[in-house]
């Protein structure tokens, strides 16, 4: 759907902000674009939208070069670039009406999108009087006004409270599943990207560190699985597993024993050994490797 | 392209709704005629014309001179700066530049809208001159405003010439306002150049090539070059105004197309 091919960009000679960046955004995916502040995310998004011209490389959207077909492609792309921008002296409805003029969208659609993002009750309120979270919702409403197939959203969850984040996340899922949209989201909220996206691209200092499915990233970086065992005597449990099963990669804190193993088939043997030694087991759970841990491993 | 410009014009109209720029156009245009109205109203004895003289001629000339020298350059400088500052203030360029229209359409529709705003100013200005003149005729019959008609056709020609003569200032101010985010820069540069124009227009014959002096040149009898019709009834400063308008806007479109957003 979106192909980024060997992009280079610099504001000044010799200082590459984007360095040979390539990735593919699969059709109908929710794609997370991750990077620390100043890693080049927003610049990359501006290159993606042809707002900046790359010094090398190309962006291809729906099999068309954006550099040559921007006007045509913009009909099918909804955007939110950094902070949402509105005319503060106009109401939410008036702001969307202004955009609707360019997209040739009917008035009923304005109310429809305001309803979708939960702003219908505040449609006549001036944008200046909106909170950051409301502005963010209005930004999302403006990006979907013309019902585009592709959404390119820069930090769309900024300023939203946990309930708002959950609502917008569900909205993204709806767009993906029901409306078959492709959604490109940049964010530094790793937890949210993990909960929302199927695919990611991680950049640092303008360079790609990883692109692909989150699962791929997990299997690439994690060394075996880690399990947490809660029991009445973790120290004795450690000794049992060491002596009886020969496990070596163990760690203990006050109430928990953590074991790292390559093969989960060993778990039943562990349980059997501990039970036979009269150790009371309260809970055994897998330590999920989260994106944050992977991200930190990748960028360290 | 025409369809995009039309959409842009509609959007511009929606944008200025309830803003200062909207009221500035109306109130700014009423200012000079209202001042003359007050002067005539309170000092009407000084303005009683001889029986055979049309009082409208002096009244209109005084008003036109005042706006050409003083109000109009400042009015244009502020109207353009305030309007474009709406985009700078909200940083809405990044939204405008991803709309499915060409950048030149945005440039042209904004330009046309502002020209229309200036045109409306002139209409309001003209209507207020005639209205205030009429009121003065009612209140002070000795001023003779009700015994004569204003010469509308020659007045219209003057207004058209005034409109042409401001195109130079208009294009330069449009250019400055678009490319300088800080509103102080186009305003202060514009005011400075207008002051320069008022200084040089009396004493320097080549002021007919200085855009900020164009509206003043037309009413300047001391500079012969300024009032001689040279080409299709236009003076040199009016032709230069046209040429400035075209040149600056061609450059403006080229630069606007490569304008980077922050």
């Amino acid at each position: 759907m979106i192909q980024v091919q060997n992009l280079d960009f610099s504001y000044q000679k010799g200082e590459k902000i984007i360095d040979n960046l390539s990735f593919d955004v699969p059709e109908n995916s929710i794609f997370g674009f991750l990077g620390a502040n100043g890693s080049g995310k927003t610049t990359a998004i501006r290159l993606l939208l042809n707002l900046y011209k790359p010094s090398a490389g190309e962006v291809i959207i729906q099999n068309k070069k954006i550099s040559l077909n921007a006007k045509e492609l913009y009909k099918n792309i909804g955007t939110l670039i950094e902070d949402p921008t509105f005319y503060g002296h106009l109401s939410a409805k008036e702001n969307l009406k202004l955009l609707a003029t360019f997209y040739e969208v009917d008035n009923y659609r304005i109310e429809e999108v305001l309803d979708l993002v939960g702003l219908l009750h505040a449609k006549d309120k001036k944008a200046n009087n909106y909170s950051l979270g409301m502005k963010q919702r209005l930004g999302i409403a403006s990006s979907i006004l013309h019902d585009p197939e592709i959404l390119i959203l820069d930090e769309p969850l900024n300023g939203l409270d946990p309930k708002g984040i959950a609502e917008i996340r569900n909205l993204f899922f709806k767009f993906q599943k029901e409306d078959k949209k492709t959604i490109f989201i940049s964010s530094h909220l790793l937890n949210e990207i993990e909960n929302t996206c199927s695919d990611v691209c991680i950049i640092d200092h303008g360079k790609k560190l990883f692109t692909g499915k989150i699962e791929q990233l997990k299997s690439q970086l994690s060394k075996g699985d880690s399990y947490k065992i809660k029991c009445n005597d973790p120290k004795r449990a450690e000794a049992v597993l060491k002596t009886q099963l020969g496990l070596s990669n163990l760690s203990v804190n006050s109430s928990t024993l953590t074991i790292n193993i390559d093969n989960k088939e060993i778990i039943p043997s562990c349980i059997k050994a501990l039970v036979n030694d009269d150790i009371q087991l309260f809970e055994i759970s897998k330590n999920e490797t989260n994106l944050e841990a992977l991200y930190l491993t990748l960028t360290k | 392209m025409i369809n995009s410009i039309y959409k842009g014009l509609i959007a511009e109209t929606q944008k200025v709704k309830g803003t200062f720029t909207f009221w500035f156009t109306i109130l700014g245009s009423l200012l000079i005629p209202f001042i003359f109205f007050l002067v005539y109203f309170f000092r009407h004895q000084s303005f009683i014309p001889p029986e055979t003289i049309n009082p409208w001629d002096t009244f209109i000339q005084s008003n036109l001179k005042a706006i050409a020298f003083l109000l109009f350059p400042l009015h244009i400088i502020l109207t353009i700066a305030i309007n474009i500052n709406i985009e700078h203030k909200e940083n809405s360029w990044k939204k405008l530049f991803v709309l499915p229209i060409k950048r030149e359409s945005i440039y042209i529709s904004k330009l046309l809208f502002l020209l229309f705003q200036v045109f409306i100013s002139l209409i309001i200005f003209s209507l207020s001159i005639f209205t205030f003149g009429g009121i003065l005729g009612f209140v002070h019959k000795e001023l003779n405003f009700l015994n004569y008609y204003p010469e509308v056709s020659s007045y219209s020609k003057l207004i058209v010439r005034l409109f042409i003569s401001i195109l130079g200032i208009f294009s330069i101010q449009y250019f400055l306002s678009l490319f300088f985010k800080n509103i102080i820069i186009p305003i202060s540069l514009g005011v400075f150049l207008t002051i320069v124009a008022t200084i040089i227009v009396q004493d320097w014959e080549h002021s007919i090539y200085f855009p900020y002096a164009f509206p003043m040149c037309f009413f300047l009898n001391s500079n012969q070059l300024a009032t001689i019709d040279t080409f299709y009834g236009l003076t040199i400063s009016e032709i230069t105004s046209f040429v400035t308008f075209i040149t600056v806007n061609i450059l403006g479109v080229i630069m606007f197309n490569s304008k980077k957003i922050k």
Side-chain angles (χ1 to χ4, degrees):
Chain A
M1 186 58 110
I2 302 174
Q3 292 156 284
V4 174
Q5 299 175 343
N6 311 105
L7 282 190
D8 276 350
F9 180 80
S10 49
Y11 291 108
Q12 292 168 342
K13 258 193 175 176
E15 188 198 17
K16 276 193 178 177
I17 302 295
I18 297 296
D19 189 358
N20 197 27
L21 182 64
S22 299
F23 59 86
D24 283 357
V25 179
E27 193 171 346
N28 196 213
S29 64
I30 303 183
F31 189 93
F33 191 51
L34 283 173
N37 292 336
S39 59
K41 289 195 305 286
T42 301
T43 306
I45 287 182
R46 286 178 178 181
L47 288 165
L48 224 71
L49 290 168
N50 202 43
L51 289 170
Y52 291 168
K53 307 277 177 216
S55 44
E58 190 62 68
V59 175
I60 295 167
I61 298 179
Q62 292 182 316
N63 301 319
K64 286 176 186 149
K65 288 181 178 179
I66 188 124
S67 55
L68 303 176
N69 304 281
K71 190 186 152 199
E72 188 193 336
L73 286 168
Y74 287 155
K75 284 183 192 163
N76 220 0
I77 303 174
T79 62
L80 179 66
I81 309 160
E82 270 189 319
D83 312 319
T85 51
F86 299 103
Y87 299 106
H89 62 284
L90 300 179
S91 69
K93 196 178 169 185
E94 285 166 338
N95 267 293
L96 293 186
K97 199 173 171 190
L98 210 142
L99 288 175
T101 310
F102 292 102
Y103 291 116
E104 295 176 4
V105 169
D106 289 334
N107 276 347
Y108 80 87
R109 175 72 183 159
I110 295 173
E111 302 233 341
E112 195 175 272
V113 294
L114 283 171
D115 192 24
L116 266 176
V117 298
L119 284 180
L120 196 56
H121 66 284
K123 65 178 179 180
D124 296 318
K125 198 171 171 180
K126 283 188 179 178
N128 262 348
N129 300 330
Y130 268 29
S131 67
L132 183 58
M134 287 168 95
K135 280 185 182 163
Q136 209 67 31
R137 284 167 187 260
L138 186 55
I140 292 165
S142 75
S143 69
I144 55 170
L145 183 66
H146 52 299
D147 198 18
E149 286 176 41
I150 301 167
L151 292 177
I152 296 178
L153 310 171
D154 191 6
E155 304 278 3
L157 305 167
N158 263 6
L160 293 171
D161 54 29
K163 187 169 170 267
I165 289 179
E167 281 172 13
I168 297 299
R169 189 196 306 137
N170 288 335
L171 204 57
F172 290 157
F173 289 144
K174 178 195 168 300
F175 291 155
Q176 183 201 22
K177 286 182 186 130
E178 293 174 24
D179 306 333
K180 305 291 172 204
K181 293 188 196 304
T182 303
I183 307 165
F184 177 99
I185 303 170
S186 92
S187 184
H188 61 272
L189 301 171
L190 299 171
N191 193 28
E192 274 321 304
I193 290 288
E194 188 172 11
N195 289 336
T196 316
C197 300
S198 49
D199 301 72
V200 288
C201 173
I202 299 175
I203 66 164
D204 192 34
H205 293 99
K207 285 184 182 170
K208 179 184 75 181
L209 296 180
F210 171 84
T211 184
K213 301 234 170 263
I214 292 180
E215 293 312 315
Q216 268 176 305
L217 180 64
K218 283 180 180 174
S219 62
Q220 236 179 59
L221 293 182
S222 25
K223 294 163 187 140
D225 291 328
S226 165
Y227 287 84
K228 205 160 53 183
I229 301 172
K230 286 191 176 175
C231 58
N232 62 336
D233 191 349
K235 283 207 169 161
R236 196 152 59 89
E238 183 191 18
V240 169
L241 294 183
K242 268 186 182 169
T243 51
Q244 293 191 17
L245 299 175
L247 296 182
S248 56
N249 207 350
L250 309 174
S251 59
V252 179
N253 68 20
S254 59
S255 66
T256 310
L257 169 68
T258 303
I259 61 171
N260 292 295
I261 48 174
D262 296 329
N263 183 0
K264 66 180 177 185
E265 307 292 321
I266 206 163
I267 292 290
S269 312
C270 292
I271 295 170
K272 200 173 170 187
L274 294 172
V275 168
N276 285 345
D277 227 87
D278 285 338
I279 291 170
Q280 292 174 5
L281 296 179
F282 305 132
E283 183 185 326
I284 298 179
S285 58
K286 190 180 176 189
N287 281 334
E288 288 296 337
T289 317
N290 62 21
L291 191 57
E292 185 176 316
L294 295 173
Y295 176 81
L296 292 173
T297 313
L298 208 58
T299 53
K300 75 182 171 188
Chain B
M1 178 90 164
I2 293 191
N3 188 28
S4 303
I5 292 171
Y6 173 70
K7 286 178 193 168
L9 277 170
I10 292 178
E12 289 298 326
T13 318
Q14 292 170 348
K15 221 178 282 177
V16 297
K17 194 184 137 195
T19 57
F20 180 58
T21 175
F22 174 76
W23 290 108
F24 185 76
T25 304
I26 295 172
L27 297 176
S29 316
L30 287 173
L31 184 69
I32 295 287
F34 184 63
I35 290 172
F36 274 101
F37 169 76
L38 292 179
V39 172
Y40 268 65
F41 188 84
F42 290 110
R43 295 187 57 210
H44 60 278
Q45 296 296 346
S46 322
F47 297 104
I48 297 172
E51 208 45 48
T52 51
I53 300 290
N54 185 344
W56 286 102
D57 292 347
T58 324
F59 189 61
I60 288 172
Q61 276 286 333
S62 310
N63 268 289
L64 278 180
K65 264 190 188 175
I67 65 157
F69 271 82
L70 187 70
L71 183 81
F72 228 49
L74 297 178
H75 189 68
I76 288 167
I77 290 164
L78 290 173
T79 301
I80 295 174
I82 293 168
N83 184 297
I84 295 178
N85 193 48
I86 298 176
E87 311 293 357
H88 288 313
K89 198 174 69 186
E90 310 289 353
N91 196 15
S92 42
W93 300 115
K94 62 185 181 188
K95 197 78 191 172
L96 292 176
F97 288 171
V98 292
L99 289 172
I101 57 168
K102 286 189 171 166
R103 283 195 187 188
E104 44 264 49
S105 303
I106 298 171
Y107 182 97
I108 294 170
S109 56
K110 216 171 239 314
L111 178 92
L112 289 178
F113 180 77
L114 286 164
L115 271 178
F116 179 69
Q117 221 173 318
V118 172
F119 180 73
I120 291 291
S121 291
L122 282 173
I123 299 284
I124 296 171
F125 172 74
S126 308
L127 290 176
S128 57
I129 290 179
F130 297 135
T131 311
F132 287 136
I135 296 171
L136 285 169
F138 266 114
V139 181
H140 298 297
K141 297 217 168 14
E142 63 278 21
L143 289 175
N144 264 352
F145 277 109
L146 295 185
N147 296 333
Y148 288 91
Y149 288 108
E151 284 186 35
V152 176
S153 67
S154 61
Y155 173 80
S156 308
K157 277 181 198 158
L158 283 178
I159 285 293
V160 169
R161 299 186 85 142
L162 183 62
F163 188 73
I164 293 169
S165 69
I166 54 94
L167 290 176
I169 306 177
F170 182 95
S171 52
I172 295 170
Q173 286 303 132
Y174 186 60
F175 184 90
L176 292 174
S177 298
L178 273 181
F179 296 106
F180 286 103
K181 195 176 176 185
N182 186 346
I183 189 172
I184 302 296
I185 295 172
I187 292 178
S188 50
L189 267 173
V191 170
F192 171 72
L193 294 171
T194 306
I195 292 169
V196 170
T198 53
I199 294 168
I200 64 169
V201 75
Q202 297 279 359
D203 303 320
W204 192 42
E205 58 182 23
H206 293 297
S207 61
I208 55 169
Y209 301 108
F210 186 60
Y212 288 76
F214 295 161
M216 305 173 196
C217 284
F218 185 70
F219 293 96
L220 213 63
N221 300 325
S222 57
N223 189 342
Q224 280 209 331
L225 270 175
T227 48
I228 295 169
D229 294 347
T230 51
F231 182 73
Y232 284 101
L234 297 173
T235 63
I236 292 174
S237 59
E238 285 161 0
I239 294 163
T240 321
S241 183
F242 250 135
V243 174
T244 311
F245 182 78
I246 301 293
T247 315
V248 172
N249 280 315
I250 289 173
L251 184 67
V253 168
I254 294 168
M255 284 181 65
F256 194 68
N257 270 333
S258 55
K259 182 178 163 65
K260 280 209 171 89
I261 53 148
K262 287 192 174 162

